[in-house]
Amino acid sequence: LIAAQANLLVEYVGDFEGANALLQEKHRLAKQHGLIWDFLLTYLEYANLLRRQRRYEEAQESLEYFLHVTSEGELYIKSIKDTSRQGGRIADLALMARLCVRCGDVESAEVYLHQANELARAWPPETFAFDLAWAEAALLAERKEDTEKAKAGYRLALEWPPLFTVLKMNHEDEPRAECMLDLGRFLASQGQKSEAREVLNSALAIFTSRSMKPLEREANEVLKSLDP
């Protein structure tokens, strides 16, 4: 319950101080009562808070710690099969790849994406296609070798239903909108302003309708940077 409340503050309200206080309390209680899995999940939740604060290197470190300490034994199995969060370890690895890209660490991103792809082989192809294609597109964009190929990678990701859709849950447009924000940011960096505006405005409409304040601010900032 504490983690769910923190997530609402992070993703929708943008109250990062409040979310941090809740996660600190969860971390304390989990440690006090010997709840190992809940204790470790806090590092994953901190990573999400930190990336919304755009503290990408710290987010990378927090998620890296979680992935490391759950890399073997029962914790590894739990990290794959855990149903309390969307996507489990495969989605975590794909997110880690994108965080590495944001930090300019392409080599590590490739390693994490490879791990995600290997684990995903045990699932129906459509289950993680969105997460994996998004991470692959981010890598292509960071390599700066082929602008059109990177753009096509993002478009391909957006053709797949996010895990939310596959599991028949609500708000399937939210992860897609964040992917669109990444695409818009990439197009803006390539000087493709008209296409960037179109994509960013579409993402912004979703963020606004869902009251996702942090991502709404990010989209507006990128749009503003496109002004003459």
Side-chain angles (χ1 to χ4, degrees):
L1 181 59
I2 294 177
Q5 292 174 331
N7 184 65
L8 286 173
L9 294 180
V10 169
E11 297 290 353
Y12 301 97
V13 182
D15 180 2
F16 299 138
E17 289 186 6
N20 185 62
L22 286 171
L23 291 179
Q24 286 182 342
E25 178 65 6
K26 183 198 170 188
H27 192 266
R28 183 188 68 79
L29 289 171
K31 184 177 182 180
Q32 177 181 329
H33 296 287
L35 303 173
I36 297 174
W37 182 246
D38 290 299
F39 177 80
L40 294 176
L41 274 181
T42 307
Y43 288 92
L44 182 66
E45 292 148 2
Y46 269 124
N48 194 50
L49 167 62
L50 290 163
R51 73 189 181 99
R52 288 291 179 253
Q53 292 177 297
R54 305 184 217 181
R55 295 159 61 182
Y56 298 115
E57 291 185 357
E58 293 171 82
Q60 180 186 16
E61 291 174 4
S62 190
L63 183 51
E64 183 178 37
Y65 176 77
F66 173 79
L67 291 169
H68 174 71
V69 296
T70 60
S71 62
E72 57 185 23
E74 291 184 7
L75 289 175
Y76 176 72
I77 295 172
K78 192 171 182 64
S79 74
I80 296 173
K81 296 184 176 181
D82 179 35
T83 58
S84 65
R85 68 193 197 285
Q86 296 305 314
R89 191 174 191 87
I90 298 171
D92 298 337
L93 289 165
L95 171 59
M96 185 62 179
R98 291 195 286 112
L99 278 173
C100 289
V101 167
R102 292 303 295 265
C103 296
D105 187 355
V106 171
E107 184 175 342
S108 293
E110 290 173 341
V111 171
Y112 285 112
L113 182 55
H114 175 73
Q115 292 178 23
N117 275 306
E118 288 299 304
L119 280 177
R121 293 180 186 276
W123 293 75
E126 69 275 9
T127 308
F128 295 101
F130 170 75
D131 300 87
L132 299 175
W134 184 3
E136 179 65 33
L139 266 172
L140 289 170
E142 180 64 21
R143 290 194 189 108
K144 300 179 176 65
E145 296 172 356
D146 189 331
T147 298
E148 291 304 312
K149 189 174 181 180
K151 186 165 64 172
Y154 279 113
R155 296 291 188 189
L156 175 63
L158 292 169
E159 290 179 3
W160 287 100
L163 186 65
F164 287 89
T165 305
V166 175
L167 296 180
K168 302 186 185 304
M169 299 185 71
N170 295 326
H171 309 313
E172 67 272 7
D173 52 353
E174 294 178 7
R176 293 186 79 256
E178 188 175 357
C179 181
M180 290 162 65
L181 173 58
D182 278 0
L183 171 57
R185 189 183 287 115
F186 171 67
L187 292 170
S189 72
Q190 299 301 305
Q192 300 181 29
K193 293 186 176 182
S194 178
E195 191 172 357
R197 284 194 186 93
E198 181 181 353
V199 172
L200 289 166
N201 278 316
S202 296
L204 180 60
I206 296 171
F207 297 144
T208 303
S209 68
R210 298 291 185 189
S211 297
M212 302 177 75
K213 300 301 181 184
L215 290 175
E216 184 180 345
R217 284 195 293 268
E218 283 196 46
N220 273 316
E221 287 174 12
V222 183
L223 279 167
K224 187 175 181 180
S225 74
L226 297 174
D227 293 339

